[in-house]
Amino acid sequence: MRQISFNQQDTSAIGLGTWRMGEGNAAKNDEELKTIQYALNNGVTLLDTAEIYGDGQSETLIGKAIKGFNRSDFQIISKFAPNHATPKLMKKSLENSLKRLQTDYLDLYLLHWRGSTPLEETIQGLQEVQKAGYIKNWGVSNFDIADLEELSKLPGGSDCRVNEDLYNVGSRGIEYSILPWQKENNMSLVGYSPFGSDGGDYLTIKPVLKDLAKQKNVSVYQLLLAWVIRNRDLLSIPKSSSVEHLKANMAATDIEFTADELELIDSQYPRPNKKTQLEVI
Ligand SMILES: NC(=O)c1ccc[n+]([C@@H]2O[C@H](COP(=O)([O-])OP(=O)(O)OC[C@H]3O[C@@H](n4cnc5c(N)ncnc54)[C@H](OP(=O)(O)O)[C@@H]3O)[C@@H](O)[C@H]2O)c1
């Protein structure tokens, strides 16, 4: 699969999101486990999870799925909740995540969203667990431009490797200042929910996308994903809980757009021309 530079290393153009995975019956869990293993066997080199996903069930599923795989061949992102953002609570959260994931380190550990703990304290906690070897690097999620600027000015804040924000054709706000700022500051971007999440409640599919998908002989989902990663400047992490969906998403990394096609999409899903409040799911 196509590679991008993410977290200062070669990474597959898409990772695998795992929110709401590991929460079903035995048959569903088995299908999801096989999907994770198919991903790792076929060139997907990043898994995204969080302690709050199914109260640890996503991490537990990943832990079972990755047994027997060479850990250094892929990256794992996990996230701690804002009410665990102090050094002491974060360490406990991390120990629990590592236990569930059956691994001894995370590639990236992210603050899931900003809460009331001062960022200085969170940075200190992250530095401690990084020094102890439990995490390779750290980052944040759902940070808006003002949060990123504030973070980068704090001692150690510029070590933040990634920010993970909502990004799809219907939620383009990050293109205005966050994406350019992160590029300039060498911080990788993860764009989450390329399809507008489970159920698609957050994204309206207009006829232009259906028509274009038909013309290009791909599904609307494939078109949405290909659009998110069109500039090769961010990592998208679609959630797929079946091998069928995963294969379709992997194939979407080969879809290219002409300038006219991109303009047509822009006409219906406009580029932001001013700062808007960061959208989150
Ligand atoms: N940092 C954050 O705050 C945050 C917030 C939200 C999400 N995330 C991360 O981002 C990941 C992705 O976002 P998301 O889970 O919200 O939603 P998403 O990836 O936008 O959409 C997932 C939905 O799309 C379906 N789907 C996937 N591939 C498909 C295909 N080729 N054709 C048709 N349907 C397809 C999935 O069905 P199946 O499940 O049946 O395959 C599922 O219903 C999450 O899993 C999580 O890891 C992070």
Side-chain angles (χ1 to χ4, degrees):
M1 202 192 318
R2 200 168 87 201
Q3 302 286 299
I4 56 162
S5 171
F6 171 81
N7 185 25
Q8 299 183 13
Q9 53 197 285
D10 282 348
T11 305
S12 52
I14 58 167
L16 181 66
T18 64
W19 185 20
R20 300 193 180 92
M21 282 167 66
E23 299 178 31
N25 59 26
K28 182 82 184 129
N29 284 351
D30 190 50
E31 187 185 15
E32 291 169 351
L33 181 134
K34 289 195 171 112
T35 306
I36 297 169
Q37 293 179 333
Y38 185 92
L40 296 179
N41 274 324
N42 290 277
V44 173
T45 59
L46 185 139
L47 307 173
D48 181 85
T49 185
E51 65 171 345
I52 65 161
Y53 293 169
D55 206 10
Q57 292 180 101
S58 159
E59 291 180 329
T60 300
L61 180 76
I62 291 177
K64 287 182 188 151
I66 64 175
K67 270 191 191 157
F69 284 89
N70 185 353
R71 181 65 184 82
S72 59
D73 287 348
F74 61 95
Q75 302 176 58
I76 300 179
I77 296 179
S78 193
K79 317 179 197 85
F80 53 99
N83 60 333
H84 296 156
T86 61
K88 195 169 161 207
L89 294 174
M90 172 194 313
K91 185 161 179 273
K92 188 79 209 140
S93 278
L94 179 56
E95 283 166 0
N96 289 334
S97 286
L98 292 175
K99 223 176 272 167
R100 287 189 289 265
L101 286 160
Q102 302 187 47
T103 186
D104 48 13
Y105 72 92
L106 294 177
D107 297 274
L108 285 163
Y109 199 32
L110 314 188
L111 170 61
H112 207 146
W113 65 92
R114 195 169 173 181
S116 55
T117 305
L119 289 175
E120 289 90 333
E121 264 191 64
T122 304
I123 295 173
Q124 188 203 321
L126 286 162
Q127 286 172 333
E128 284 171 17
V129 290
Q130 186 175 24
K131 209 167 162 203
Y134 296 132
I135 64 169
K136 298 267 189 217
N137 284 290
W138 61 267
V140 294
S141 178
N142 297 303
F143 266 42
D144 205 340
I145 189 71
D147 303 307
L148 292 171
E149 283 171 344
E150 184 184 334
L151 176 72
S152 71
K153 287 181 190 131
L154 296 173
S158 60
D159 292 334
C160 176
R161 276 284 178 97
V162 309
N163 175 36
E164 181 170 315
D165 280 350
L166 174 66
Y167 186 56
N168 59 50
V169 77
S171 295
R172 299 183 63 170
I174 65 163
E175 286 175 40
Y176 187 72
S177 50
I178 294 177
L179 185 53
W181 187 93
Q182 290 199 204
K183 273 186 197 168
E184 204 177 305
N185 288 276
N186 246 335
M187 191 189 292
S188 294
L189 184 73
V190 186
Y192 69 71
S193 303
F195 310 126
S197 212
D198 265 4
D201 296 340
Y202 299 89
L203 178 55
T204 309
I205 306 296
K206 298 182 186 175
V208 65
L209 295 180
K210 290 184 189 157
D211 295 346
L212 203 53
K214 210 169 172 189
Q215 272 172 38
K216 293 173 86 68
N217 205 18
V218 299
S219 74
V220 170
Y221 278 81
Q222 287 179 306
L223 193 82
L224 288 170
L225 180 57
W227 180 89
V228 166
I229 58 173
R230 68 200 178 286
N231 293 325
R232 293 150 165 74
D233 54 0
L234 57 85
L235 180 83
S236 183
I237 46 168
K239 175 234 182 187
S240 343
S241 44
S242 68
V243 170
E244 186 195 343
H245 282 169
L246 177 64
K247 278 185 182 171
N249 295 339
M250 290 168 66
T253 64
D254 290 330
I255 300 170
E256 303 280 354
F257 292 91
T258 64
D260 286 350
E261 288 170 343
L262 290 175
E263 252 178 57
L264 188 64
I265 294 175
D266 286 351
S267 70
Q268 299 297 309
Y269 296 91
R271 264 192 225 130
N273 56 12
K274 60 177 175 12
K275 168 79 187 95
T276 48
Q277 192 172 353
L278 181 69
E279 292 175 78
V280 299
I281 286 183

